[in-house]
Amino acid sequence: MQLNTHSLHHTCRRFLTLTAAVVLSVFQTVAQQRFNMRAIADTGLPLIVVETIGGEEPSCDYVYAPPGSMGASITNVTKVPGRVQMIVDGAVVFDSGDYVKDESGMTIRMRGNWSAFMDKHPFKIKLEKKGDMLRRGDQRFADKNWVLLCDYPFSLCPMVGNKLAELCRAEWQPQGQYVNLVINDDYRGMYYLVETVRRNKDCRMDVDKNTGYITELDPYWWNEPLHFTTLLTTDSPSVRYTLKYPDPEDITEAQLNWIREKTDHMEHSLLDGTYPGTIDVESWVRWILAHDILGTKDAEGSNLYLTLYDNAENTKFKLGPLWDFDTIFMTPGEWSRLHGKMLFPWYWGDANGLFTHTYYAVFDQVKDWIFDEMISWLKAYGVSSEARAIDRSILYDGMRWDDGYISVGQRVNEAIQWFQNRKQWMTEQCELERNAIRPIVHPLPSSGKTYDLNGRQVARPHTKGIYLQQGRKVVVKP
């Protein structure tokens, strides 16, 4: 039989063409299934659907810290108006309505610092009319401000961190839940919908509307419209205090001076041991204890919020809530890096001793149950219907962002192992340290200058007292 090469060539060409068409059809089918809204809604997680006016996308510019400071962030952030709905089991359970300024709808913008540099952006939603996007059936929870955190790759850390903070009796801790997000018919992945750190007299931070303050010791101060320095931050460009409440545009010069002086006085009290008159010691202890149990690695960007509920003379600074759990479970065999932060009395030697002893006392109260409680909660969560819904959603999220699959079960097992090990390590470490308490005095950034404890620069420490000289604590005896 003679081989007809022309016919063979034609046949091969036709076969390859048909094969390419079949492959293309398969890929198109997979793509349609991958981001089919019905399939994503059927995962079991709430579906957040955002539709912006004209299909406009939130945008921003990226900016890096000035010399001497740290980090990277975003600026020129656009707030895009539109509508947001939440769909559960095919039913719309939350609807902001179409955008009408001050009446209905919402605006959405990008948020975050380093996290905003990822392809999967975090977002902030601001409702024009208060509502509870977590659907708790109580109007007190209605608020305008909500955040969509990436938690990318999936870690379960925001939920675990919030639960541990609650068990440590944080006064208020933001609540949240996992959701799937669609913006303008484009599936954006799985997010953690959570309350923001805001004043809300009914259910968040009940600071007085006219005389209360929420400040943050903030490494991203250089990207904020208003910030102030104090004794401990004057010579360090890494952190300043910024305002969460009141808004920078609403605060007067007199108010800013008052909160600066109040904060400065509080910092002096950390140095000379009079801090029981300026800080709510237990709230500070429970905040740092939670971070120590969680093993937080980030020491600068972990959102250290200081709150004064009013401007009464005897009102004390409270610390909290905990926020940002991106770096938990990262300090095995060590304290959290926040443990040695300059804002805690033991950083300066704890001249009073109350803070150190309160820490050990609170740990003694919780050590026999808090680790086991977290483990029990994790085991129950790992087999819950929500966990199964997250597992299904992770598949779509992974396809959207070309990322691997990490199951809830894997994250639960990792967290359980952490709390088992952490219980033993912290119990042993506290026993060692409480029996050998030694002052640990860290250098105050001072450019070689000498200060008294009122923050006044002095030429030489002659009179009796405690001074800070070239970053060291100096005691002058009579």
Side-chain angles (χ1 to χ4, degrees):
M1 178 178 178
Q2 187 177 2
L3 185 64
N4 187 327
T5 56
H6 175 75
S7 176
L8 178 63
H9 177 71
H10 178 74
T11 301
C12 289
R13 244 179 100 184
R14 179 174 171 77
F15 173 77
L16 291 173
T17 301
L18 288 172
T19 302
V22 170
V23 171
L24 179 60
S25 175
V26 169
F27 273 118
Q28 287 174 339
T29 301
V30 170
Q32 290 168 357
Q33 291 176 347
R34 181 180 296 180
F35 305 121
N36 180 280
M37 296 305 112
R38 171 63 71 111
I40 293 169
D42 286 346
T43 61
L45 280 190
L47 180 64
I48 299 289
V49 178
V50 172
E51 296 176 351
T52 64
I53 295 177
E56 183 181 355
E57 284 287 321
S59 64
C60 69
D61 293 329
Y62 295 91
V63 59
Y64 289 89
S69 297
M70 65 178 70
S73 190
I74 56 177
T75 188
N76 299 327
V77 180
T78 61
K79 298 179 181 179
V80 180
R83 179 178 190 168
V84 59
Q85 294 179 309
M86 179 182 285
I87 301 171
V88 177
D89 295 331
V92 176
V93 297
F94 180 87
D95 190 347
S96 71
D98 291 330
Y99 178 79
V100 179
K101 185 173 174 57
D102 298 327
E103 292 185 20
S104 62
M106 58 96 225
T107 56
I108 185 170
R109 68 173 178 84
M110 291 172 58
R111 71 170 300 279
N113 294 301
W114 277 116
S115 59
F117 282 63
M118 297 190 303
D119 291 335
K120 183 181 180 183
H121 304 306
F123 297 99
K124 180 177 180 181
I125 288 176
K126 185 171 184 179
L127 303 174
E128 292 298 299
K129 184 178 180 180
K130 289 182 179 180
D132 180 19
M133 295 191 70
L134 297 178
R135 312 169 341 273
R136 287 163 286 187
D138 189 331
Q139 187 58 28
R140 292 179 305 164
F141 294 113
D143 202 276
K144 291 185 176 182
N145 296 278
W146 301 89
V147 164
L148 289 159
L149 298 177
C150 289
D151 190 24
Y152 176 77
F154 169 70
S155 70
L156 202 61
C157 287
M159 187 171 285
V160 172
N162 280 332
K163 181 64 177 179
L164 191 279
E166 290 172 12
L167 294 180
C168 282
R169 284 180 28 203
E171 187 167 293
W172 170 76
Q173 195 61 31
Q175 299 299 300
Q177 71 175 114
Y178 284 96
V179 299
N180 282 305
L181 175 65
V182 173
I183 300 179
N184 297 325
D185 295 325
D186 179 18
Y187 176 62
R188 302 300 174 92
M190 189 172 66
Y191 282 75
Y192 189 68
L193 173 69
V194 65
E195 298 172 308
T196 61
V197 178
R198 299 280 296 181
R199 176 193 175 273
N200 180 318
K201 65 183 182 65
D202 296 318
C203 66
R204 297 194 191 182
M205 304 180 78
D206 186 17
V207 302
D208 187 271
K209 183 176 182 180
N210 300 311
T211 63
Y213 296 84
I214 305 172
T215 62
E216 179 183 355
L217 191 59
D218 190 355
Y220 296 98
W221 61 270
W222 48 267
N223 198 36
E224 294 293 331
L226 186 65
H227 55 83
F228 62 90
T229 60
T230 53
L231 169 70
L232 299 183
T233 61
T234 296
D235 294 319
S236 172
S238 62
V239 289
R240 299 280 190 272
Y241 288 94
T242 57
L243 285 163
K244 300 293 290 185
Y245 184 83
D247 289 333
E249 60 268 23
D250 296 330
I251 196 169
T252 66
E253 185 175 353
Q255 287 177 307
L256 183 61
N257 289 335
W258 185 88
I259 188 62
R260 179 194 293 115
E261 291 172 4
K262 193 78 171 178
T263 306
D264 196 76
H265 176 62
M266 177 271 293
E267 290 182 346
H268 278 87
S269 76
L270 301 180
L271 302 180
D272 63 18
T274 60
Y275 58 82
T278 65
I279 71 171
D280 183 273
V281 172
E282 187 158 325
S283 80
W284 288 48
V285 161
R286 291 183 181 277
W287 187 92
I288 190 61
L289 177 62
H291 275 295
D292 282 342
I293 292 174
L294 291 167
T296 305
K297 184 176 182 179
D298 193 349
E300 294 294 349
S302 293
N303 305 90
L304 199 154
Y305 296 109
L306 295 167
T307 304
L308 278 177
Y309 280 71
D310 55 49
N311 64 0
E313 185 64 30
N314 62 347
T315 299
K316 299 178 182 180
F317 283 90
K318 290 190 174 184
L319 190 56
L322 280 75
W323 179 272
D324 190 353
F325 301 104
D326 291 352
T327 63
I328 67 174
F329 305 151
M330 289 189 180
T331 61
E334 301 176 8
W335 294 111
S336 69
R337 289 184 61 194
L338 289 157
H339 191 88
K341 199 171 180 68
M342 70 178 184
L343 206 60
F344 296 104
W346 54 36
Y347 187 98
W348 308 104
D350 197 359
N352 183 285
L354 177 64
F355 190 90
T356 302
H357 291 292
T358 301
Y359 182 91
Y360 294 136
V362 173
F363 180 71
D364 286 343
Q365 293 170 12
V366 305
K367 67 181 181 181
D368 291 332
W369 63 267
I370 197 167
F371 298 94
D372 297 335
E373 181 73 17
M374 283 301 301
I375 291 170
S376 295
W377 175 81
L378 282 161
K379 288 179 177 178
Y381 188 80
V383 296
S384 67
S385 59
E386 183 172 300
R388 292 193 294 273
I390 291 174
D391 273 333
R392 289 188 286 267
S393 299
I394 292 170
L395 292 171
Y396 291 102
D397 186 90
M399 287 188 285
R400 176 62 174 84
W401 298 108
D402 193 25
D403 191 37
Y405 176 79
I406 303 172
S407 69
V408 175
Q410 180 179 341
R411 290 309 193 196
V412 163
N413 289 336
E414 291 169 354
I416 287 173
Q417 187 65 55
W418 172 270
F419 288 116
Q420 289 172 338
N421 294 341
R422 202 63 169 175
K423 178 180 181 179
Q424 179 178 349
W425 183 84
M426 286 189 67
T427 300
E428 294 173 352
Q429 196 67 21
C430 283
E431 284 303 311
L432 286 172
E433 294 189 8
R434 83 173 76 216
N435 295 321
I437 298 174
R438 297 184 179 89
I440 302 174
V441 182
H442 290 254
L444 175 72
S446 60
S447 304
K449 301 173 184 177
T450 300
Y451 296 88
D452 64 19
L453 291 185
N454 291 317
R456 295 185 294 257
Q457 186 178 351
V458 296
R460 292 180 62 191
H462 289 294
T463 58
K464 171 186 174 182
I466 300 174
Y467 298 86
L468 296 168
Q469 184 183 64
Q470 295 183 352
R472 298 182 180 276
K473 182 177 177 182
V474 177
V475 179
V476 177
K477 298 182 178 180

